[in-house]
């Protein structure tokens, strides 16, 4: 089975601090894509960052970075200098390398609250 | 980034009626679109993969006759909830990818519509 697990239903962090959201996944494949999506109260899904499994270097997008541990099948998201606008649901997701469809499989989500 | 427009953003319908939700890719062609359902405070559950010019591929447990999907053009997919009942009330989200099944990073990002909140009374 190809599943994605986010073990932290809720997290909170103070503004300007750093927070890490964890994600583990299960796949028997070797090449795949991993993503973190953000869903703010507007419910619009927004791509935060992506990682290709065949790349060893961790992806970074401004204040967002990942810690990709392929052997451990772990893909955590670190948010540095947290801002109030980071308050949202965060979903880890990946695309199993199925050739005919590129469907995203989502984790259960982590609700992040940033406090002033 | 690319824009996916979903309409309507919310709809209330009577039990037993049907409601259609549209998903349009505004500035790109999408050979594949995806329909998700999201219950309150839960994750997105993939319902089906919509393929332009062919039948949709439904996930296990999703009723094909209840959730009709049509992908008549490269920019439009529709989801029709037929004979809706209160348990069909949910948030429905579509997404689309640019291009085909290429493995370049630019082809792997999925763009999402703003979602449709369906309430069946």
């Amino acid at each position: 089975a190809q599943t994605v697990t986010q073990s932290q239903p809720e997290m909170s962090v103070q503004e300007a601090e750093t927070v890490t959201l964890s994600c583990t996944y299960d796949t028997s494949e070797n090449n795949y894509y991993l993503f973190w999506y953000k869903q703010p109260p507007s419910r619009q899904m927004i791509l935060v960052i992506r990682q290709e499994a065949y790349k060893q270097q961790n992806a970074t997008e401004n204040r967002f970075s990942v810690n990709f541990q392929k052997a451990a099948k772990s893909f955590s998201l670190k948010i540095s200098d947290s801002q109030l606008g980071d308050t949202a649901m965060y979903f880890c997701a990946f695309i199993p390398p199925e050739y005919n469809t590129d469907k995203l499989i989502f984790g259960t989500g982590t609700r992040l609250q940033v406090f002033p | 980034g690319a824009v996916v427009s979903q309409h309507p953003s919310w709809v209330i319908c009577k039990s037993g009626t049907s409601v259609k939700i549209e998903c349009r890719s505004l500035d790109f062609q999408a050979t594949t679109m995806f329909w998700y359902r999201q219950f309150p405070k839960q994750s997105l559950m993939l319902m089906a993969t919509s393929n332009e010019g062919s039948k949709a591929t439904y996930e296990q447990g999703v009723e094909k006759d209840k959730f009709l999907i049509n992908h008549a053009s490269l920019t439009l997919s529709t989801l029709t909830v037929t004979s809706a009942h209160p348990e069909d009330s949910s948030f429905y989200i579509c997404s689309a990818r640019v291009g085909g099944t290429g493995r370049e990073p630019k082809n792997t990002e999925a763009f999402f519509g703003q979602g449709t909140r369906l309430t069946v009374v």
Side-chain angles (χ1 to χ4, degrees):
Chain A
Q2 294 166 322
T3 60
V4 182
T5 301
Q6 294 178 248
S7 58
Q8 307 152 311
E10 295 183 355
M11 294 280 285
S12 61
V13 64
Q14 196 161 19
E15 198 175 9
E17 297 295 311
T18 296
V19 64
T20 299
L21 309 183
S22 61
C23 171
T24 58
Y25 56 94
D26 182 25
T27 179
S28 58
E29 304 293 340
N30 191 47
N31 295 318
Y32 44 87
Y33 294 83
L34 295 160
F35 304 83
W36 278 97
Y37 276 89
K38 167 184 178 181
Q39 188 180 40
S42 68
R43 304 196 76 169
Q44 174 72 55
M45 296 289 285
I46 302 167
L47 178 65
V48 175
I49 198 166
R50 83 189 90 184
Q51 174 83 41
E52 292 137 60
Y54 58 87
K55 289 187 177 180
Q56 294 186 343
Q57 185 175 8
N58 289 324
T60 299
E61 288 286 345
N62 301 312
R63 298 184 295 108
F64 300 89
S65 61
V66 299
N67 183 3
F68 175 47
Q69 302 290 328
K70 190 173 183 179
K73 298 180 182 177
S74 170
F75 181 60
S76 59
L77 174 69
K78 185 172 81 172
I79 306 175
S80 304
D81 187 25
S82 297
Q83 301 176 359
L84 297 178
D86 295 334
T87 293
M89 281 290 291
Y90 286 83
F91 293 100
C92 177
F94 88 118
I95 297 177
E98 297 172 348
Y99 297 105
N100 292 325
T101 65
D102 289 322
K103 57 185 181 182
L104 274 168
I105 297 178
F106 285 92
T108 49
T110 297
R111 183 173 302 277
L112 176 66
Q113 178 73 50
V114 181
F115 292 98
Chain B
V3 178
V4 174
S5 176
Q6 192 172 336
H7 178 81
S9 49
W10 61 270
V11 58
I12 300 174
C13 71
K14 290 185 178 181
S15 185
T17 63
S18 296
V19 60
K20 179 185 288 187
I21 302 170
E22 293 186 347
C23 179
R24 295 181 184 271
S25 56
L26 297 187
D27 50 2
F28 66 100
Q29 293 183 332
T31 54
T32 305
M33 291 185 176
F34 303 92
W35 287 96
Y36 293 86
R37 183 174 181 175
Q38 186 179 28
F39 291 103
K41 298 185 179 182
Q42 293 190 24
S43 186
L44 280 71
M45 181 191 75
L46 179 66
M47 299 175 64
T49 301
S50 173
N51 305 299
E52 187 269 335
S54 64
K55 291 183 178 180
T57 303
Y58 290 82
E59 295 299 303
Q60 190 174 7
V62 178
E63 298 177 63
K64 301 178 182 181
D65 296 332
K66 160 69 77 174
F67 300 101
L68 299 180
I69 291 173
N70 183 277
H71 195 155
S73 75
L74 286 171
T75 59
L76 173 64
S77 175
T78 60
L79 168 67
T80 301
V81 183
T82 63
S83 186
H85 291 283
E87 56 266 30
D88 298 325
S89 298
S90 190
F91 192 70
Y92 294 88
I93 308 176
C94 71
S95 75
R97 286 184 59 256
V98 176
T101 57
R103 292 295 167 210
E104 297 298 322
K106 64 180 184 297
N107 288 336
T108 59
E109 179 174 354
F111 299 94
F112 288 81
Q114 63 269 49
T116 297
R117 180 175 299 284
L118 170 63
T119 302
V120 184
V121 298

